[in-house]
Every structure is written in structure tokens, then in C-alpha cells.
Amino acid sequence: MKGTQALPLLLVGALAAGGVLYVGKRQSAGPGSATPDPMEQLRAFTERETGLTFHSAPSIVPIPANELREVIGGSLDRRFGPDGLIHRSRAYELLQLVPPGQDLRELLIAAQGAGARAWFDEQSGTIHTIAAFDPSRPDDRATLVRLLTRQLCHRTNPPPATHPGDDAWITRQAIHGGIAAGVQARFNQDDGGRFALPTAEETEREAILLSLPVYLHNLVQIGGLQGRDYVEARRIEGAAPWQQALNQAPARSLDLFTTAVPSTPGPPLPETPGTTVFQESLGAYSSMLLSLIHN
């Protein structure tokens, strides 16, 4: 009988103890506690990994998915001028960098916008996201880390007011893209790795990239290839691992293929009154691709 009478007392005691533990957990969490903001987590990771700081909030603008091509095209027009890509289409056609009759502007839009759910505009320094973009989705999280890194590099090392020439532009893409690729790789590693099957967007992007002319296929991926190799070789341990790579960023693609300290820029060409001096060149990177095409 005593055992039977003790059972209800034990149950009451267990319920009371459970209640105390539940209240304790609620109090330790705090009345205003909430799930961490994914955007803030990604921003903090990017700042910690790059050693750079967002002195103002990241610039992220949502747009409808069907407007992305227009946004990319507008950025290209501002970068190269109203007829810049028309002239380059013809020049690249003569050099056999692109097939006859190809529209370089449309090819670049396709290369940059293929399967993209977010995109960084190097002209305005803005990240554009489509409506379906979700910073809690694994692939979107990794994409946002890469684009936030591009934005930090852009703010730390702003572009010149006018187009600096094709070779300098390509080199800038390599350096900033290489840093962003390295940070994204570290994020994927910390986030448990990317072992999932490719998303529909990733499959679409790969298919379009493979369909591009060899020159553009390599140009679009220069950050993850030559650029990443270059900056990783110059990454230093400490609070600002990429600062040196940005401060001493080369202005020509030839330096991407060397392991030596980037050379200092040469003296500017003398000004000639009344004459426009054409200062652009294909550069070492484009010349290398040109040789690959003809071999």
C-alpha cells in the first residue's frame, strides 16, 4: 500500500521538476530571443573571413526575375559605352575569339545571367536578387557570401570612373572574383560542404557556359581559375588576409601568370592635344586564349 500511495507523489514531483527546467530554459533564452537572421550571419562570416568591414549596410536590391537580363545589359552598356560592345564584337570576330555574326553583348548577358538567382553589378556596387532568392537555402547562402565578398572588394578598391581598358578590366575581375571564390569555398567547407546534387539553376548555367565560345567561357570563369590561384598564393594569415592582394592588385593580366610581386605600373602615355590615344590591348590573358584557339 505504501508503494501505491507514493506513486502519485513521485509523478507530481516529476512534473514539477519538468516545469522548473522548462521555465529555466525560457528564462535563459530571454523574452526577446529569436532565430538568428541568416543575412546577418552571412555578413558576419564575410567580414570575418575577408578582414574587411561593411561601414554601411550591404546594398541588396530585389528585382523580378524577368528584369535581370535588362539590369545586366544596362551595366554592360555603362561599362563599355553605347557602341563599345558593337566594336568589340567585330574585332573579336576578326580575331576568331567569337564566331561570325555573334552579338558580344548578348553573349555576355547570357554568361552572367544564366541560372543566376543573384548578381553583383560592378558598376553600381549593388547586389541584385530575384524574388525566389532565399538566404536560408544552401546554394543561395553560398552565392550571397560570394557576392557580399565582391561588394566588400568593390568598396575597398573602387573601380575607375571610366573604363580602364579591357586588360585592366579583366585583371580586376580576376582579383575580386578570385577572392570571392576563395571565401565561398571556405564558407561551403564550414557549412558542411556541398555534396547535394546540382540545382536546376546550376545545371542551366553549366549548359550555357559550355555553349559559349572558348574565349568567353574562360573569361567568365577567370575569377575561379587564374584569379583564385593568384590571390590564394598571396593570402596572408591574420586579421586582413586579402588586404595585400587588393592594395597591390596588378593592372595587367600578365601578372596573373607570375608568382613574383606584382610589378608597378608603367608611366602614363604623354598627352597629345587634339588626339585620342587608343590605350587598350588584349593583354596576356586574352592573347593566351587566342593562342589556344589557333593551336
Side-chain angles (χ1 to χ4, degrees):
M1 286 294 293
K2 288 184 179 180
T4 305
Q5 291 175 346
L7 183 59
L9 295 175
L10 290 173
L11 289 174
V12 171
L15 289 173
V20 170
L21 289 173
Y22 176 76
V23 171
K25 288 182 179 180
R26 293 278 294 181
Q27 289 176 343
S28 64
S33 63
T35 303
D37 181 2
M39 178 62 203
E40 286 302 315
Q41 289 181 317
L42 299 180
R43 171 179 172 172
F45 177 89
T46 305
E47 290 182 327
R48 183 171 65 252
E49 178 59 36
T50 61
L52 307 174
T53 303
F54 280 105
H55 297 293
S56 59
S59 176
I60 302 177
V61 177
I63 59 172
N66 59 359
E67 292 184 9
L68 184 59
R69 287 179 57 86
E70 181 179 344
V71 171
I72 295 174
S75 178
L76 290 172
D77 292 340
R78 293 192 301 275
R79 167 56 69 188
F80 293 103
D83 298 322
L85 290 176
I86 294 176
H87 296 157
R88 284 169 177 78
S89 290
R90 179 58 178 154
Y92 288 178
E93 180 181 322
L94 292 172
L95 290 168
Q96 300 181 25
L97 290 173
V98 298
Q102 294 284 330
D103 185 336
L104 184 59
R105 183 178 185 273
E106 288 301 313
L107 288 173
L108 286 172
I109 290 174
Q112 296 186 35
R117 294 164 59 85
W119 178 75
F120 176 69
D121 183 353
E122 66 176 35
Q123 284 293 99
S124 65
T126 300
I127 296 171
H128 295 278
T129 59
I130 65 173
F133 189 85
D134 180 3
S136 65
R137 177 174 144 166
D139 56 314
D140 283 351
R141 283 156 52 84
T143 296
L144 192 53
V145 164
R146 174 170 52 83
L147 299 186
L148 285 171
T149 302
R150 287 293 306 273
Q151 193 169 77
L152 271 174
C153 290
H154 178 92
R155 292 183 178 184
T156 304
N157 178 225
T162 58
H163 182 60
D166 286 8
D167 191 47
W169 173 70
I170 288 172
T171 307
R172 177 182 170 84
Q173 302 304 302
I175 301 301
H176 289 200
I179 293 174
V183 173
Q184 182 181 17
R186 285 169 171 77
F187 175 79
N188 283 335
Q189 185 176 12
D190 289 356
D191 206 36
R194 288 293 309 280
F195 300 105
L197 294 175
T199 64
E201 293 85 2
E202 290 170 338
T203 302
E204 177 189 354
R205 175 173 173 78
E206 284 300 315
I208 291 180
L209 287 178
L210 289 173
S211 71
L212 291 173
V214 173
Y215 174 72
L216 291 181
H217 176 84
N218 285 274
L219 178 62
V220 171
Q221 301 184 91
I222 189 172
L225 299 175
Q226 278 83 6
R228 184 176 173 185
D229 290 344
Y230 180 90
V231 297
E232 286 286 352
R234 287 155 178 77
R235 185 179 184 275
I236 57 177
E237 295 298 329
W242 310 103
Q243 193 69 59
Q244 181 177 344
L246 285 172
N247 291 344
Q248 301 179 4
R252 57 179 189 170
S253 61
L254 178 63
D255 291 318
L256 299 177
F257 300 95
T258 65
T259 56
V261 176
S263 61
T264 57
L269 293 175
E271 294 186 7
T272 306
T275 304
T276 300
V277 181
F278 186 69
Q279 300 185 48
E280 294 189 13
S281 70
L282 283 176
Y285 181 74
S286 297
S287 299
M288 179 200 72
L289 294 180
L290 185 60
S291 67
L292 290 177
I293 292 171
H294 290 284
N295 286 338

